[in-house]
């Protein structure tokens, strides 16, 4: 999670990458995407976010950047014979507005008085069918939205959400008027609960809370 100020307003970049465990070098793929997209954010992504109507331009730029990373991973497969891939779910936030760019089965939620799943799992017959790297490049989903005051934006790997019943994140995290610090303690507690239930997969979660004076993540 990266936070900056753009034109006097607070902005944030959130990114969750989860390497595909069934393929070799999944951690390599997730690490490369995380590194390259963080570089993209500071070199290119901040620029369109300075505009009034920024979401379409910023999302298009991020998709182009993911396409370039895809080319690097495909070149690695051709030259070294290593097929690897990673899910990628990211969010760009400025003020009330956000846009989620998503490929795979990690997830993004907007949580307030209701819990809303913003992304869809890219699976077919229970198997992952879209990611960055393996399976070829397919354009990620782009989901724009707005956060009301006090609402949370949560990005997480599939291991963090797979065992949770619908509505569990909201009941565990959201409290009207609750501080971001309390929400983070609860998020950590959910991770501990999942481990106690026997979850062995990667548990990664990021949270951003929209406060009256900006965002807290």
């Amino acid at each position: 999670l990266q936070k900056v100020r753009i034109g006097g307003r607070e902005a944030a970049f959130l990114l969750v990458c989860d390497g595909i465990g069934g393929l070799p070098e999944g951690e390599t793929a997730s690490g490369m995407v995380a590194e390259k997209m963080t570089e993209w954010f500071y070199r290119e992504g901040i620029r369109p976010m300075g505009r009034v109507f920024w979401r379409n331009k910023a999302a298009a730029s991020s998709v182009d950047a993911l396409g370039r990373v895809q080319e690097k991973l495909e070149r690695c497969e051709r030259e070294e014979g290593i097929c690897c891939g990673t899910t990628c779910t990211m969010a760009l936030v400025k003020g009330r507005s956000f846009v989620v760019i998503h490929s795979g089965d990690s997830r993004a939620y907007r949580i307030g008085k209701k819990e809303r799943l913003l992304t869809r799992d890219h699976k077919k017959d229970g198997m992952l069918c879209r990611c960055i790297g393996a399976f070829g490049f397919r354009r990620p989903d782009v989901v724009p939205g707005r956060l009301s005051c006090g609402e949370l934006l949560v990005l997480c790997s599939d291991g963090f959400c797979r065992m949770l019943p619908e509505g569990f994140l909201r009941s565990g995290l959201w409290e009207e008027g609750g501080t971001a610090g309390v929400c983070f303690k609860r998020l950590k507690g959910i991770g501990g609960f999942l481990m106690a239930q026997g979850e062995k997969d990667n548990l990664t979660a990021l949270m951003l809370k929209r406060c009256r004076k900006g965002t807290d993540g």
Side-chain angles (χ1 to χ4, degrees), residues 173 179-189 206-208 216-217:
L173 293 176
T179 66
V182 169
C183 292
F184 275 116
K185 289 180 180 178
R186 291 178 175 177
L187 190 68
K188 186 176 180 180
L206 298 175
M207 188 197 76
L208 182 141
D216 196 357

Side-chain angles (χ1 to χ4, degrees), residues 20 86-87 104-105 122-124 126-131 135:
I20 300 174
T86 179
T87 70
D105 63 355
H122 293 134
K123 289 186 172 182
K124 185 176 181 180
M127 301 295 292
L128 190 67
C129 62
R130 190 187 304 188
C131 68
F135 317 133

Side-chain angles (χ1 to χ4, degrees), residues 138-195:
R138 294 180 61 188
R139 187 178 186 274
D141 293 342
V142 175
V143 185
R146 288 180 176 271
L147 290 173
S148 297
C149 185
E151 287 191 324
L152 311 173
L153 184 64
V154 176
L155 273 59
C156 60
S157 61
D158 67 319
F160 194 88
C161 60
R162 180 167 44 231
M163 296 177 64
L164 297 181
E166 185 177 352
F168 190 91
L169 281 176
R170 182 193 177 278
S171 63
L173 293 176
W174 192 79
E175 178 184 348
E176 192 165 7
T179 66
V182 169
C183 292
F184 275 116
K185 289 180 180 178
R186 291 178 175 177
L187 190 68
K188 186 176 180 180
I190 291 173
F193 166 78
L194 291 168
M195 293 177 66

Side-chain angles (χ1 to χ4, degrees), residues 80-108:
E80 301 183 28
I82 299 174
C83 178
C84 59
T86 179
T87 70
C88 178
T89 302
M90 73 178 81
L92 299 165
V93 186
K94 188 178 78 168
R96 292 183 57 191
S97 299
F98 69 83
V99 61
V100 171
I101 300 92
H102 166 72
S103 184
D105 63 355
S106 294
R107 291 184 174 183

